Amino acid sequence: MLVMKFGGTSVGSAKAISEVAAIVKARLKQKPVVVVSAVSGVTDGLIRLAEEASNGKGADLFSSIHGQHKDILLDLKLSESLCDKEFAELTALVKKTRKKKSKLTQKTLDTFKSFGERLSSLIVAETLKKAGVPAKAFPAWELGMITNDVFGDSDPLPESSALLKKKICALTLVPVITGFLGKTKKGEITTLGRGGSDYTAAIIGAAIKAEAIQIWKEVDGFLTTDPRIVPEAKIVSELAFEEACELAYFGAKVLHPKTILPAMELGVPVQVLNTFKPEGKGTTIVSSFEDRRHKSHSVEAFSRKKGITILHVRSPEFFDGSGLMAKLFKVFERHRTSIDLIATSVVSVSLTIDNEKYLKEIVHDLKNLGDVSVVRGKAIICMVGGSINAAGVAGRIFTTLGKHEIPVEMISQAASGVSMTFVVDECDTERALRILHAEFIEK
Ligand code: ASP
Ligand code: MG
């Protein structure tokens, strides 16, 4: 079986939805299990609707969400009444929320949010049927997506997996399942966190041990670097999960790796594909970097994150004060700020952060440990690939940058050999990416 997840833009218009139907129809032999997001913008609209309703308003917003779906139905030549039941339910929820004077709860908000995927799944299923594909829309909870009651950010309960498997494998038609949604054991609607439809796809793909999970979006996949900076950027055909994590953390906004973890744990590959260029090969994310390392002998991709601040802490006590590191990390823990890179010498430690919210407090506390200096306006460049720790690669990176007089600091190579990360001045970022891309990808 093949899990095919379509994001908000992929179901964002009648034309896109027709495209989706054609893509699914072309893969019927692989037994597709379809997962959909809400029509793009609708989840945000529903959240605003909930807020407005709790302030006694919301009529205009309701009409606009209603109109948006009606227009799609009309353009697809589907019955206008297809979503009547859902809209009647949403109307009742708006009314009830208006009357209630109490504050909007996460639980009520989740029920509001649920309408996005419930509506889009109905429309996609109906479009498939019209194209001659036996299909049916399902709220995920009807197929076994039982979650905990952390409204707004729930996770499936362990028993979900077996339930999903049993129910989905028994189906003889193409299910079009709501992404993002579940229900608690008590039957209350929950959501899996923003962007949670990818997570739904991964949970289902893992449960049914799918041959692959396809995430259909409006981008071609992971690219060798940001094409806005380097127009020559190409699609990366394969990445290991760890590599995708590094790239995403340092700026590549293709997907949130955390959401595909359930698939990676079971070794189910995840493909990122473009709904609007379905013939493309996209990027396949595989779970094992070790396997990939043996196949790939190249540097695959770079990403970058700007707005980096370096903190240097100097103290002779680092020399033998074994507890000092622990104290240092505690400071960041206390002020809920995560460290991206770290470099140590005998008498100093340098760390980078990308969030200055608690900088003043952090510096204050670090001063108890040693001399502190703060350097702003930096950027991190992250490079991944099967040969990133092969002999000579690091030398080539820094010689190339050196030739162009781009100073580099805080070089860090992950012990797993998955990435090479370093800091440059923010103003050198674009130039560094172009130079490295020319050296490693275009050659
Ligand atoms: N519709 C939800 C959101 O916008 C879930 C998703 O699209 O993945 O967050
Ligand atoms: Mg979305």
Side-chain angles (χ1 to χ4, degrees):
M1 290 169 114
L2 181 66
V3 175
M4 306 176 75
K5 181 262 168 175
F6 295 91
T9 309
S10 301
V11 297
S13 67
K15 194 162 167 274
I17 293 171
S18 307
E19 205 57 67
V20 166
I23 291 169
V24 174
K25 195 173 175 180
R27 287 159 184 80
L28 284 183
K29 272 210 196 93
Q30 285 165 282
K31 290 209 174 174
V33 171
V34 177
V35 174
V36 289
S37 283
V39 170
S40 60
V42 167
T43 307
D44 288 328
L46 289 164
I47 293 170
R48 269 191 290 129
L49 177 62
E51 282 157 2
E52 289 193 9
S54 69
N55 291 321
K57 296 189 294 246
D60 288 351
L61 198 47
F62 178 88
S63 304
S64 114
I65 295 170
H66 190 219
Q68 193 180 359
H69 288 88
K70 279 262 149 131
D71 286 348
I72 292 177
L73 288 175
L74 220 67
D75 289 347
L76 287 167
K77 301 192 171 58
L78 298 177
S79 160
E80 267 193 73
S81 61
L82 181 71
C83 303
D84 280 358
K85 199 173 136 274
E86 277 61 34
F87 276 112
E89 228 181 278
L90 182 57
T91 307
L93 180 63
V94 170
K95 271 198 192 136
K96 202 173 124 194
T97 310
R98 273 192 184 149
K99 270 204 210 120
K100 228 191 206 160
K101 291 280 179 288
S102 53
K103 209 172 155 268
L104 187 66
T105 61
Q106 285 295 330
K107 186 158 127 184
T108 305
L109 198 54
D110 270 0
T111 307
F112 268 95
K113 285 187 258 179
S114 74
F115 285 93
E117 275 72 9
R118 289 159 74 185
L119 290 163
S120 64
S121 60
L122 284 173
I123 299 174
V124 171
E126 203 60 23
T127 308
L128 278 169
K129 279 203 268 180
K130 222 178 135 201
V133 177
K136 188 170 176 230
F138 290 94
W141 56 76
E142 275 183 24
L143 296 176
M145 188 68 82
I146 313 296
T147 73
N148 60 21
D149 60 1
V150 183
F151 296 98
D153 196 20
S154 62
D155 285 297
L157 296 179
E159 58 260 45
S160 260
S161 175
L163 263 178
L164 285 164
K165 183 171 175 207
K166 188 168 147 224
K167 296 200 177 191
I168 292 174
C169 293
L171 296 171
T172 53
L173 40 63
V174 175
V176 180
I177 307 172
T178 58
F180 186 46
L181 311 180
K183 265 190 182 175
T184 63
K185 270 190 181 159
K186 280 199 227 152
E188 303 148 317
I189 295 176
T190 52
T191 63
L192 305 180
R194 290 310 302 271
S197 297
D198 289 352
Y199 192 30
T200 304
I203 294 162
I204 290 176
I208 65 175
K209 250 321 204 146
E211 118 199 27
I213 296 166
Q214 299 185 331
I215 308 276
W216 291 84
K217 301 174 63 86
E218 66 286 6
V219 298
D220 293 335
F222 276 87
L223 296 190
T224 47
T225 196
D226 188 335
R228 287 167 303 181
I229 299 171
V230 185
E232 292 81 9
K234 300 184 285 193
I235 303 170
V236 181
S237 60
E238 191 183 270
L239 281 176
F241 180 61
E242 292 102 311
E243 293 174 296
C245 286
E246 299 278 344
L247 291 176
Y249 189 79
F250 293 114
K253 290 193 178 58
V254 178
L255 59 80
H256 204 313
K258 200 186 86 186
T259 60
I260 62 165
L261 196 57
M264 293 296 118
E265 280 169 350
L266 285 188
V268 179
V270 172
Q271 293 167 271
V272 181
L273 296 155
N274 190 339
T275 303
F276 306 99
K277 283 190 225 159
E279 65 292 344
K281 296 252 180 308
T283 303
T284 302
I285 305 169
V286 296
S287 52
S288 165
F289 178 66
E290 278 314 308
D291 289 353
R292 242 183 63 64
R293 199 209 302 255
H294 298 301
K295 283 194 289 180
S296 153
H297 300 288
S298 59
V299 173
E300 301 280 7
F302 323 125
S303 63
R304 53 82 179 76
K305 184 150 95 174
K306 288 187 167 188
I308 300 295
T309 298
I310 305 183
L311 296 165
H312 297 289
V313 188
R314 281 177 210 83
S315 165
E317 270 181 60
F318 280 118
F319 190 60
D320 62 357
S322 51
L324 210 58
M325 269 308 189
K327 282 188 202 148
L328 188 112
F329 287 130
K330 274 268 181 274
V331 172
F332 290 86
E333 189 192 348
R334 199 157 50 238
H335 299 298
R336 280 164 290 153
T337 300
S338 64
I339 300 166
D340 287 342
L341 293 189
I342 173 157
T344 61
S345 79
V346 175
V347 290
S348 72
V349 177
S350 303
L351 314 122
T352 70
I353 57 172
D354 64 356
N355 172 0
E356 291 196 1
K357 196 167 166 202
Y358 300 107
L359 183 62
K360 229 173 84 196
E361 292 84 343
I362 290 170
V363 170
H364 173 271
D365 290 3
L366 288 178
K367 282 193 173 151
N368 296 327
L369 306 176
D371 294 334
V372 182
S373 57
V374 176
V375 188
R376 293 210 172 80
K378 298 287 179 179
I380 291 177
I381 293 185
C382 169
M383 304 177 62
V384 302
S387 76
I388 204 81
N389 70 350
V393 173
R396 219 170 123 204
I397 295 173
F398 302 116
T399 309
T400 308
L401 292 173
K403 256 195 245 156
H404 291 85
E405 287 174 27
I406 296 179
V408 173
E409 52 192 319
M410 290 190 68
I411 299 159
S412 130
Q413 185 175 23
S416 57
V418 71
S419 69
M420 180 87 72
T421 332
F422 48 87
V423 172
V424 297
D425 285 339
E426 208 164 39
C427 58
D428 285 332
T429 319
E430 284 76 13
R431 209 157 55 92
L433 284 187
R434 274 186 229 115
I435 291 163
L436 291 170
H437 199 270
E439 173 72 17
F440 286 95
I441 311 283
E442 290 157 48
K443 259 196 182 156

